[in-house]
Amino acid sequence: MRLLPPLLLAFVAGCATIVGTLQLDDRYGPPDPARFDHPPQPVAGAPDYWQEVRPLLDQRCVSCHACYDSPCQLNLTSYAGLTRGANPKIIYSSVRLIADEPTRLGFDALTNAGWREKGFHPVLNEREQTPEANRDGGVMYRMLALKQSHPGPDRGPLTNPDLDFALDRDQTCARAENFDDYAGKHPERGMPFGLPPLTRAEHQTLARWLEAGAPYTPPAPLPADVLAQVADWEGFLNGDSLREQLVARYIYEHWYIGQLHFAAAPGRYFQLVRSRTPPGRPIDLIATRRPYDDPGVPRVYYRLRYTEATQVEKTFMPLQLDPARMERVRQWFFAAAYPVDALPGYLPAQASNPFATFRALPVEARYRFMLDDAQFTMMGFMKGPVCRGQVALNVINDLFWVAFVAPDSSETRMATRLIDSDIINLQLPAEHESTAGLLAWRDYSKLEKRYLETKSRLIGELKKSDLPQVSDLWDGDGQNPNAALTVFRHFDNASVTRGYVGERPQTMLVIGYPLFERMHYLLLAGYDVYGNIGHQLATRLYMDFLRMEGELNFLAFLPLKDRQPVLDFWYRGRKEQTDRYFTDAAAYFPRETGIHYRTGDHLGELYRAVAQRMAPLRAPALDWKKTGLTPAEVDQMRRLSKIHGIPASVMPEMSLLLLRRPGERLQIVSLVRNSAHSNVSQMFDEEERRLPKEDTLLALDGVVGAYPNAFFAVDPEKLPEFVDAVARLGDEAGLVKLTDRFGIRRTDPRFWPLSDAVHAEWRRTAPREAAILDYSRLENR
């Protein structure tokens, strides 16, 4: 059989779409993109959006359709995302030569007509409003109906080759006009894709709502005390003095990514945005690529905009606003007297360099502001737009600890001198905005080298009493658990948790203010997910420098003779000839440590000393205390955490182990595989650098990570058998057998009830952290 060439196929598909459009227009009239800009009011007998429809969308749809990596950009976390519709253009692209125009929901267009101009097509019927038209002209209705007609198997793995679960798969974004052709070619691609169908009752709820025209009512009004707190914070962030304006800009550029909330309204969230209008007037949004781009107005106002979007774990970064936080910010930035003689501008070369932009603000104030919620800041690197994709994340190890230099240490005082004398060498790749040359990263390599030369010279001037001691690490002032963080990389995504997990990490970073700030502006504030390949390459390679700088900061706590062997072990087989400050530990920090070691295992002793310093902040659950498990079950969890080598390497990156006793609550345990590599200094050929015999497995209470790869449901009395089976794993066939016995596959009728139980239990035990998990990485075995 002779295949048609791609151009001819595209032509045929285009003709089919045109014919389909004419047929729908003849039957139901032309589409009106503005139809849902003023949503239809509730219809008698139709399901209620907030009570019946929104919960179903959250439980069955949002787990795949949220954020930048939503298939076809269809974001179902809000009504605005549903009415915006779908777009076949892929956001995450490593081959773009020119930056794309952004398509951020809630920012880059505020009407559905505006989204149509940006290439989005509707998934709701925008033609004549009748039940028949809403069925025939609605992609969402027809996708759900297709799944009901072709539900797929109810056991075993999915074997249909038309069901591709790869993240980089080719997208086919069906339109109402060509849906018959789509359904004929892909009958098993109904929604939910590659998962069990909705129950009949669930399907009827959504079908009746769609037939009624997708009616909507605004969310319930916010409580009066919340509105009062919003007014207080907007007043605080919009003072008229130059110092108040500069501090507000600094806060905005660090908090804009978060979901801000108040204790009086759990589950209701706000975004910090820039507006042309002051508090007390409707927000006139200023939408720019980056938070520090030129707003185009003489005066910016910082406003709290309510968002009704459902929160998803892969982007959820909650931050509570309260009087205590406001008072801390006041003390840091306003208690001391210092001048702010002029406000900085927004030219990219300056605005992308926070050390130049905020030079007038005290370094200690900025650093304490970031430390106060260090997990929030680190989560921005993991949950922001840079986070998605293996090439973006293979710049970090699978398991590492993070500690921070104390704000009152000699290191921080040296950092202040360093920033004042070396601002020009602290420029970041984002000064090239979103379209950078492929070799732009070389310029930043030279700048980093000059910065490290200056830093090394200042290190050489330290007094003996200022040489590194474990007491130089911030201990959270005895009460802030953000002082000790563990970062997990799960191949193409990552997560961060408070406290040190595991007995010994793969590596460790010690971060001071200049490094922390550069990470934020490199990976979050200055990163553009719509940027070109040069921008992405420069960001990734510059992060190499920052990671290695953090690692060398940690190695400075070791005796001088131990540093190079540890560094060489961390970078076994490194091919690139990196600057000597990164390959020669003595060149970076040429002085001896200030620590007197008592054992022969200096690295192990250092890890234990750091962990001991942070012990008062450690959550009991990290040691399986107060988790609800029996002593025998805790023993099994510890057995799981001792599994290493090939058995650990066969396990999924991140899986959820679910224990349920009849009549009792579900117990959720995260099983995290930590993949070992000879080094993480190369962008490609990761498999060649894998060291599966050094892999480890960790069992952790609760949910860690946003993208589970597998579910295992185990009766508590069978837990020892499950652990035995994991410990015996040797290959893929063994994992298939483990899944046969304990797994909940994509096809399993128990999948959705179990998913509901997981989310309900997570909300019960961690109400401020729980959000919707993403199922796009679920394995199919």
Side-chain angles (χ1 to χ4, degrees):
M1 176 180 175
R2 186 178 178 184
L3 298 178
L4 294 176
L7 285 177
L8 184 56
L9 283 173
F11 175 76
V12 171
C15 291
T17 299
I18 293 172
V19 171
T21 300
L22 294 174
Q23 291 176 343
L24 286 173
D25 287 353
D26 286 344
R27 296 171 65 188
Y28 307 119
D32 176 11
R35 178 176 296 281
F36 290 99
D37 288 340
H38 301 286
Q41 294 300 301
V43 177
D48 179 80
Y49 176 79
W50 290 106
Q51 297 299 317
E52 300 173 82
V53 175
R54 185 73 255 164
L56 262 181
L57 294 176
D58 291 346
Q59 293 164 359
R60 302 292 180 265
C61 307
V62 169
S63 56
C64 290
H65 286 279
C67 193
Y68 293 112
D69 53 0
S70 300
C72 300
Q73 295 193 51
L74 178 59
N75 189 327
L76 297 179
T77 59
S78 67
Y79 190 80
L82 175 59
T83 62
R84 178 180 73 162
N87 187 326
K89 181 173 282 191
I90 296 174
I91 292 179
Y92 287 101
S93 171
S94 59
V95 297
R96 264 196 300 263
L97 298 180
I98 302 295
D100 268 347
E101 287 299 311
T103 54
R104 298 162 299 177
L105 183 62
F107 286 90
D108 298 312
L110 300 178
T111 66
N112 289 311
W115 288 121
R116 300 294 168 264
E117 293 175 1
K118 291 181 178 291
F120 284 79
H121 61 263
V123 297
L124 300 178
N125 173 43
E126 293 182 342
R127 293 177 168 83
E128 173 187 326
Q129 290 296 290
T130 66
E132 181 184 14
N134 290 331
R135 289 192 295 268
D136 292 349
V139 173
M140 184 173 179
Y141 181 95
R142 301 195 68 181
M143 279 289 196
L144 292 169
L146 184 63
K147 185 71 174 190
Q148 295 291 305
S149 301
H150 300 83
D154 61 2
R155 62 178 61 84
L158 290 164
T159 57
N160 186 341
D162 192 43
L163 298 177
D164 184 357
F165 300 111
L167 290 179
D168 59 352
R169 64 182 181 268
D170 292 334
Q171 291 195 123
T172 304
C173 304
R175 304 170 67 107
E177 294 82 358
N178 64 4
F179 196 87
D180 287 341
D181 181 61
Y182 174 89
K185 293 179 179 177
H186 311 290
E188 291 194 26
R189 286 196 191 179
M191 295 297 153
F193 177 77
L195 290 167
L198 275 60
T199 66
R200 181 173 179 80
E202 291 168 342
H203 178 75
Q204 285 299 315
T205 295
L206 291 182
R208 287 167 45 228
W209 180 70
L210 293 168
E211 287 174 333
Y216 168 87
T217 54
L222 292 164
D225 55 347
V226 170
L227 294 176
Q229 291 181 72
V230 168
D232 288 345
W233 274 94
E234 288 191 343
F236 175 68
L237 292 169
N238 290 288
D240 292 326
S241 72
L242 296 182
R243 177 157 63 156
E244 287 172 309
Q245 291 184 60
L246 187 59
V247 169
R249 176 174 171 178
Y250 185 79
I251 292 172
Y252 166 72
E253 291 184 14
H254 290 75
W255 283 1
Y256 76 97
I257 193 68
Q259 289 77 40
L260 312 181
H261 63 100
F262 301 92
R268 312 289 289 271
Y269 296 95
F270 296 81
Q271 295 171 301
L272 186 58
V273 299
R274 296 195 292 184
S275 173
R276 300 176 184 85
T277 50
R281 294 174 55 189
I283 292 173
D284 185 1
L285 184 70
I286 298 171
T288 56
R289 281 182 182 266
R290 296 178 175 84
Y292 54 71
D293 285 345
D294 192 339
V297 293
R299 173 73 189 271
V300 169
Y301 297 96
Y302 301 98
R303 307 290 302 279
L304 289 169
R305 179 175 70 164
Y306 176 70
T307 173
E308 68 175 58
T310 297
Q311 301 305 320
V312 293
E313 175 61 14
K314 60 186 174 184
T315 60
F316 191 37
M317 296 174 53
L319 188 74
Q320 182 168 310
L321 300 184
D322 52 36
R325 184 181 298 278
M326 187 184 293
E327 181 56 30
R328 292 196 300 275
V329 175
R330 287 188 193 277
Q331 288 298 315
W332 296 326
F333 289 104
F334 297 106
Y338 57 91
V340 176
D341 299 322
L343 294 177
Y346 292 95
L347 292 176
Q350 180 186 31
S352 64
N353 185 339
F355 307 106
T357 303
F358 301 107
R359 189 170 191 170
L361 301 181
V363 168
E364 184 175 348
R366 287 179 263 166
Y367 189 31
R368 285 194 177 275
F369 175 84
M370 296 185 76
L371 287 178
D372 193 49
D373 276 285
Q375 184 194 31
F376 174 87
T377 304
M378 290 292 291
M379 281 197 299
F381 316 156
M382 313 302 163
K383 296 188 175 186
V386 74
C387 73
R388 199 269 212 180
Q390 176 260 348
V391 172
L393 280 170
N394 70 1
V395 72
I396 60 175
N397 281 285
D398 270 43
L399 169 64
F400 63 93
W401 291 355
V402 178
F404 300 93
V405 176
D408 55 357
S409 69
S410 58
E411 167 75 14
T412 301
R413 292 191 294 273
M414 184 184 72
T416 302
R417 292 172 55 201
L418 189 59
I419 291 169
D420 287 342
S421 64
D422 219 36
I423 280 182
I424 192 170
N425 290 324
L426 292 171
Q427 293 168 282
L428 293 165
E431 69 175 327
H432 288 289
E433 301 186 80
S434 299
T435 300
L438 286 175
L439 300 180
W441 67 273
R442 290 185 174 180
D443 296 333
Y444 298 96
S445 174
K446 296 174 184 177
L447 292 174
E448 177 73 1
K449 178 180 178 181
R450 291 201 290 266
Y451 168 74
L452 293 178
E453 287 174 346
T454 304
K455 183 175 181 179
S456 185
R457 177 176 55 78
L458 290 176
I459 288 171
E461 300 172 4
L462 288 175
K463 298 177 182 178
K464 188 173 182 180
S465 59
D466 291 333
L467 294 175
Q469 298 274 358
V470 173
S471 58
D472 292 331
L473 300 178
W474 183 53
D475 66 351
D477 302 317
Q479 59 185 7
N480 191 331
N482 285 280
L485 303 177
T486 299
V487 177
F488 297 100
R489 176 203 170 205
H490 317 289
F491 186 66
D492 58 8
N493 60 94
S495 55
V496 56
T497 188
R498 293 174 179 172
Y500 292 144
V501 180
E503 296 181 0
R504 189 167 177 149
Q506 292 171 338
T507 60
M508 183 165 183
L509 274 62
V510 170
I511 297 176
Y513 170 68
L515 184 54
F516 209 16
E517 194 77 275
R518 280 182 291 159
M519 285 181 170
H520 175 76
Y521 276 84
L522 176 75
L523 300 177
L524 191 59
Y527 184 78
D528 180 13
V529 70
Y530 300 92
N532 78 330
I533 184 174
H535 170 70
Q536 296 175 40
L537 182 65
T539 300
R540 195 275 180 205
L541 293 176
Y542 194 86
M543 181 56 200
D544 254 341
F545 305 146
L546 300 188
R547 183 202 66 249
M548 289 187 283
E549 185 179 336
E551 291 169 342
L552 288 167
N553 287 341
F554 169 72
L555 292 181
F557 288 81
L558 285 172
L560 192 57
K561 67 180 179 63
D562 291 342
R563 295 173 199 163
Q564 194 63 45
V566 174
L567 184 62
D568 290 343
F569 182 79
W570 287 352
Y571 289 92
R572 288 168 283 175
R574 172 164 44 186
K575 294 180 181 178
E576 290 98 43
Q577 294 299 312
T578 314
D579 183 84
R580 73 184 184 96
Y581 285 98
F582 293 128
T583 57
D584 182 355
Y588 176 79
F589 195 97
R591 305 285 299 280
E592 191 53 85
T593 180
I595 302 174
H596 297 288
Y597 285 87
R598 295 176 175 82
T599 70
D601 178 13
H602 295 164
L603 181 59
E605 185 177 343
L606 179 56
Y607 281 137
R608 291 190 295 273
V610 174
Q612 183 60 38
R613 178 164 176 77
M614 309 302 174
L617 310 173
R618 188 173 176 82
L622 292 177
D623 299 309
W624 294 104
K625 299 175 182 177
K626 301 180 180 179
T627 60
L629 291 178
T630 67
E633 290 165 349
V634 169
D635 288 343
Q636 297 303 319
M637 296 301 122
R638 290 177 175 149
R639 282 186 62 204
L640 282 167
S641 290
K642 290 181 179 179
I643 292 173
H644 63 278
I646 297 303
S649 73
V650 175
M651 285 291 285
E653 290 277 347
M654 182 268 188
S655 51
L656 292 180
L657 169 60
L658 310 171
L659 304 176
R660 169 170 272 167
R661 303 173 188 84
E664 297 186 25
R665 66 182 181 86
L666 192 69
Q667 185 79 39
I668 305 173
V669 176
S670 293
L671 300 180
V672 179
R673 187 189 85 203
N674 305 301
S675 300
H677 302 81
S678 58
N679 69 78
V680 292
S681 62
Q682 299 163 230
M683 287 186 64
F684 306 109
D685 302 321
E686 179 168 354
E687 279 303 309
E688 293 182 8
R689 292 177 284 113
R690 281 282 285 114
L691 301 170
K693 291 182 180 180
E694 296 180 17
D695 286 3
T696 60
L697 188 69
L698 285 172
L700 304 167
D701 181 59
V703 177
V704 175
Y707 302 88
N709 303 117
F711 288 98
F712 297 105
V714 180
D715 294 334
E717 64 271 16
K718 300 290 186 182
L719 183 58
E721 297 176 31
F722 174 80
V723 178
D724 289 341
V726 173
R728 289 194 303 266
L729 288 175
D731 53 26
E732 172 70 15
L735 183 55
V736 171
K737 290 180 180 178
L738 184 77
T739 305
D740 287 340
R741 184 173 181 193
F742 297 107
I744 304 294
R745 288 188 167 98
R746 286 176 166 271
T747 56
D748 198 312
R750 297 172 295 170
F751 181 88
W752 287 123
L754 198 66
S755 172
D756 294 341
V758 167
H759 286 96
E761 178 61 16
W762 193 16
R763 285 191 295 268
R764 190 191 72 81
T765 56
R768 295 186 179 183
E769 302 171 9
I772 302 295
L773 294 169
D774 189 293
Y775 293 151
S776 62
R777 269 80 159 178
L778 276 175
E779 295 176 350
N780 177 41
R781 61 164 51 83

